[in-house]
């Protein structure tokens, strides 16, 4: 099973997901072709209600601890409640490009 699928499966089995985007950004970085090392996720879940951003991120880190201590090198997340998602007035930014090695 791919790392991307593992991330999807774990998040959907531990959270009440209303929207989930998992983007493998590895091709935009200096990694071998087919690598699964850089990910960006957008999660909309009722489970984030009344949690600070830090607590939300900690919750996701706990769910994905094996992947984050293993094959995943870079991970960014945007965690929102359904109410926040309905009221969002800005685009979710992409990750910045990888710096080229000298």
């Amino acid at each position: 099973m791919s790392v991307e699928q593992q991330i999807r499966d774990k998040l959907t089995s531990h959270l009440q997901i209303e929207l989930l985007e998992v983007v493998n950004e590895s091709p935009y970085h200096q990694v071998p072709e087919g690598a699964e090392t850089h990910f960006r996720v957008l999660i909309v879940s009722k489970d984030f209600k009344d949690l600070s951003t830090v607590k939300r991120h900690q919750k996701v880190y706990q769910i994905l601890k094996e992947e984050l201590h293993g094959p995943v090198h870079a991970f960014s997340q945007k965690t929102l409640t359904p109410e926040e998602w309905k009221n969002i007035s800005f685009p979710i930014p992409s990750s910045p490009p990888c710096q080229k090695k000298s």
Side-chain angles (χ1 to χ4, degrees):
M1 179 184 314
S2 71
V3 175
E4 181 176 344
Q5 191 60 51
Q6 289 173 10
I7 290 170
R8 286 181 187 284
D9 289 352
K10 284 190 173 182
L11 291 173
T12 56
S13 68
H14 287 88
L15 298 170
Q16 297 177 48
I17 300 286
E18 293 207 8
L19 175 68
L20 175 63
E21 290 181 6
V22 179
V23 180
N24 179 356
E25 296 184 326
S26 302
Y28 310 115
H29 298 272
Q30 296 180 349
V31 297
E33 189 173 327
E36 291 188 286
T37 56
H38 294 68
F39 287 92
R40 176 173 46 92
V41 298
L42 166 65
I43 307 165
V44 178
S45 174
K46 294 176 187 175
D47 295 309
F48 299 141
K49 185 173 170 55
D50 299 324
L51 293 180
S52 68
T53 301
V54 170
K55 293 291 184 189
R56 294 173 186 192
H57 288 190
Q58 288 173 337
K59 187 176 194 87
V60 171
Y61 290 144
Q62 184 61 33
I63 293 167
L64 299 176
K65 65 183 172 188
E66 291 174 354
E67 290 74 16
L68 298 175
H69 284 108
V72 176
H73 166 75
F75 183 79
S76 68
Q77 59 180 306
K78 184 69 173 173
T79 53
L80 302 167
T81 66
E83 294 76 25
E84 291 167 337
W85 177 246
K86 286 178 195 171
N87 296 318
I88 199 163
S89 62
F90 58 89
I92 306 281
S94 296
S95 298
C98 188
Q99 296 275 332
K100 293 193 178 206
K101 295 179 184 176
S102 357

